[in-house]
Amino acid sequence: MIRRRAMPGEPSGVALGLPLPPSAGKRRLSFLLQPDDIISIARPPLLNSASGSAPRVWWPTLDRLGKLALRHSVEARVFGSLAWRTLTGLDYLTGRSDLDLLLDVRRETELDRLAADVAAIEAEAPMRLDGELMRDDGAAVNWREFHSGAGEVLVKHIDGVGLLDRDLFISGKTIS
């Protein structure tokens, strides 16, 4: 299961979701657990550990993304279809699947350069690259939206979402 934002009016607890693979109708299941019911917690799979579960045609792109992560000193993880395939062994990927990438950035990460480098890799990739640039406080912004140069970006956090000036996101501010 994966942590999700709680829905308005939902009772207290830890909101979780579980997507079913395409062969099971690709339904999304929602759960609400109490903290004491949770046995373990793990981060999404690292890009390098998920590469073997990816289609061969993706491998050169995954290799380039791994090198990009090293060059920018960020941690690259996957979520979405490739993560679920890696974790379960079930076929979550289809011919139209994109790669959901989570780049854990640090305060000193040059976000504009990182987003531009991801865009350059996507331009030659056989799949769409989707994903987030996530700070250590859990605040995240879509890399493509950030790369667009928009004055405001949609910042997502487990506690909510909101628009924030992109420079304030860079400086570490949070949504109110």
Side-chain angles (χ1 to χ4, degrees):
M1 286 194 234
I2 190 165
R3 181 103 189 255
R4 63 174 173 80
R5 276 184 290 285
M7 293 182 261
E10 197 167 41
S12 65
V14 180
L16 301 170
L18 178 66
L20 298 180
S23 63
K26 212 174 175 184
R27 293 186 52 213
R28 307 284 193 253
L29 306 177
S30 294
F31 300 91
L32 193 63
L33 297 180
Q34 295 308 307
D36 292 343
D37 296 330
I38 298 172
I39 297 170
S40 66
I41 298 171
R43 305 272 332 269
L46 289 166
L47 175 68
N48 292 344
S49 66
S51 295
S53 299
R56 280 188 171 283
V57 69
W58 287 20
W59 290 2
T61 300
L62 298 176
D63 184 55
R64 288 183 68 197
L65 289 167
K67 289 175 182 172
L68 172 139
L70 285 174
R71 192 169 56 252
H72 286 276
S73 300
V74 300
E75 195 169 71
R77 296 182 173 275
V78 297
F79 61 102
S81 299
L82 181 57
W84 286 110
R85 183 177 190 174
T86 300
L87 293 170
T88 67
L90 299 174
D91 198 6
Y92 277 81
L93 294 167
T94 69
R96 295 187 327 247
S97 291
D98 56 11
L99 173 62
D100 296 303
L101 190 63
L102 181 64
L103 297 171
D104 289 332
V105 300
R106 302 181 319 187
R107 184 175 277 304
E108 62 272 9
T109 303
E110 293 181 35
L111 297 180
D112 285 310
R113 181 76 252 152
L114 176 61
D117 288 349
V118 172
I121 291 172
E122 183 185 47
E124 299 176 8
M127 77 298 243
R128 182 176 191 269
L129 300 183
D130 200 7
E132 311 287 322
L133 306 175
M134 188 169 80
R135 301 185 319 210
D136 60 3
D137 65 355
V141 64
N142 179 279
W143 77 264
R144 188 177 282 101
E145 181 181 356
F146 187 87
H147 181 61
S148 76
E152 287 187 319
V153 291
L154 184 66
V155 178
K156 302 167 206 163
H157 195 276
I158 196 64
D159 298 323
V161 298
L163 289 174
L164 186 67
D165 181 279
R166 75 187 306 275
D167 291 333
L168 292 178
F169 177 79
I170 292 169
S171 71
K173 301 292 186 212
T174 58
I175 52 177
S176 19

